[in-house]
Amino acid sequence: MKRLFALIMIFLLSVPAFCEPDNWLWNNLFEEGTTFSLNPKRELIIVGAGTAVYTTDLILRGVSKKNEDSVPKAFLDKNKLNGFDRAFMQPYSHNLDKLGDVAQILSLATPLICLTAGTTEHFTVSIMFGETLLWAQGTKELLKFFVSRNRPYMYFDNYPSESIESGDYRESFPSGHSTLAWASAVFTSYVFTSYFPQSHWKLPVIIGSLSIATATSVLRVASGNHFPTDVLSGALIGGLTGFLIPFLHKNSIYTKNGTRVDFVPVSLENGSGIGVNLSF
């Protein structure tokens, strides 16, 4: 799955070159868009911080011996689980596991709607989605490392041997599939409605993208890979990331009374950050 993540990141950087063949990519990189726009300092902050989170996880995994611990020889005690998770836990299912992978891939593809629906800021959308995936991936991987929760299938007798060998059996919280699926779904919904607030396709896009993310989460529980609290936490992390990243790139937000809110990068003596500008 991590290889898939890397391929998606490469794809996102290559899509704009095909969508806008008449423009030289780097000449228009930070050009002001009509709805969303990129800014060198803001992107440096977002990408730099996201990379730091992801790199921290990789370093910790490199120096840790956690996955070399012995697997519990006896069945884990279900009675030690909370009642909510215990009520929905399932043994491992290979078919449902693979079906969940397919659902996640479909969810990761939903932002393509924003690139093919008549928008002109293809590179901006691609970079925003890349940043969204970077933060979602880094956050959920770091949490998996620190929480170290056994997956539901470890409470049954048919757990997958490859998961034991890789140490993946101890990374149930949060659900990575749900995190990335909901990040993609919320990103797609927010960006599409920002570009086309009056479109008749707005509701179908929202319902469709969120339905695929929901299906992904349900399949992760049904396949025995996750507890309900794992997928709910993943949905929360992914949803917040999918909303906040494009929200910070929007040129302006208007409230009902006409107040304008702009998010702009600021430079201080001790560093940089994101500033909020209010216009009345």
Side-chain angles (χ1 to χ4, degrees):
M1 193 55 62
K2 291 184 179 180
R3 292 181 179 178
L4 174 63
F5 173 75
L7 290 174
I8 291 174
M9 295 293 288
I10 294 173
F11 173 75
L12 289 172
L13 294 177
S14 64
V15 164
F18 296 98
C19 293
E20 303 177 81
D22 295 330
N23 296 324
W24 180 246
L25 191 60
W26 295 101
N27 288 341
N28 298 307
L29 179 57
F30 298 114
E31 190 173 51
E32 186 75 9
T34 57
T35 306
F36 297 97
S37 61
L38 302 176
N39 181 283
K41 293 181 179 179
R42 180 175 57 213
E43 310 321 312
L44 180 62
I45 294 171
I46 294 176
V47 174
T51 302
V53 172
Y54 197 24
T55 303
T56 299
D57 170 73
L58 295 177
I59 293 175
L60 290 174
R61 291 177 185 275
V63 301
S64 172
K65 303 299 182 181
K66 182 182 69 171
N67 289 341
E68 296 180 7
D69 296 341
S70 60
V71 180
K73 296 180 180 180
F75 290 121
L76 300 175
D77 188 0
K78 299 178 182 179
N79 294 322
K80 293 183 179 180
L81 297 170
N82 66 76
F84 178 64
D85 282 335
R86 187 171 62 248
F88 292 94
M89 64 186 299
Q90 300 292 327
Y92 180 73
S93 170
H94 177 77
N95 291 334
L96 293 179
D97 186 6
K98 296 308 177 184
L99 192 58
D101 290 342
V102 173
Q104 184 199 35
I105 293 173
L106 290 176
S107 188
L108 289 171
T110 57
L112 290 174
I113 297 173
C114 302
L115 296 176
T116 59
T119 60
T120 58
E121 300 164 16
H122 299 106
F123 191 77
T124 299
V125 173
S126 298
I127 291 299
M128 289 194 302
F129 187 50
E131 292 172 347
T132 298
L133 291 183
L134 176 63
W135 269 97
Q137 177 78 0
T139 302
K140 64 96 173 173
E141 285 294 326
L142 197 59
L143 284 173
K144 281 178 177 289
F145 177 83
F146 282 115
V147 175
S148 190
R149 184 186 195 186
N150 287 307
R151 293 183 184 271
Y153 55 60
M154 292 303 296
Y155 292 82
F156 300 90
D157 60 357
N158 65 333
Y159 51 76
S161 58
E162 63 272 13
S163 176
I164 304 303
E165 297 172 359
S166 65
D168 185 61
Y169 72 97
R170 303 184 92 177
E171 298 194 347
S172 185
F173 183 92
S175 168
H177 282 65
S178 297
T179 300
L180 295 180
W182 281 91
S184 302
V186 173
F187 178 92
T188 300
S189 300
Y190 182 74
V191 171
F192 186 88
T193 55
S194 295
Y195 277 119
F196 312 106
Q198 306 300 325
S199 174
H200 296 298
W201 287 98
K202 181 173 66 175
L203 191 58
V205 167
I206 294 174
I207 294 176
S209 58
L210 295 182
S211 295
I212 297 175
T214 301
T216 302
S217 297
V218 171
L219 286 168
R220 295 307 284 171
V221 175
S223 64
N225 281 283
H226 289 289
F227 296 101
T229 51
D230 298 334
V231 299
L232 290 174
S233 299
L236 178 61
I237 296 169
L240 287 175
T241 306
F243 168 75
L244 286 175
I245 294 299
F247 179 79
L248 292 174
H249 288 81
K250 202 163 188 180
N251 289 336
S252 62
I253 310 296
Y254 290 90
T255 61
K256 292 182 179 180
N257 61 5
T259 302
R260 175 170 175 166
V261 183
D262 295 286
F263 295 88
V264 295
V266 294
S267 297
L268 305 174
E269 293 182 0
N270 298 325
S272 301
I274 300 294
V276 180
N277 180 45
L278 299 177
S279 302
F280 299 92

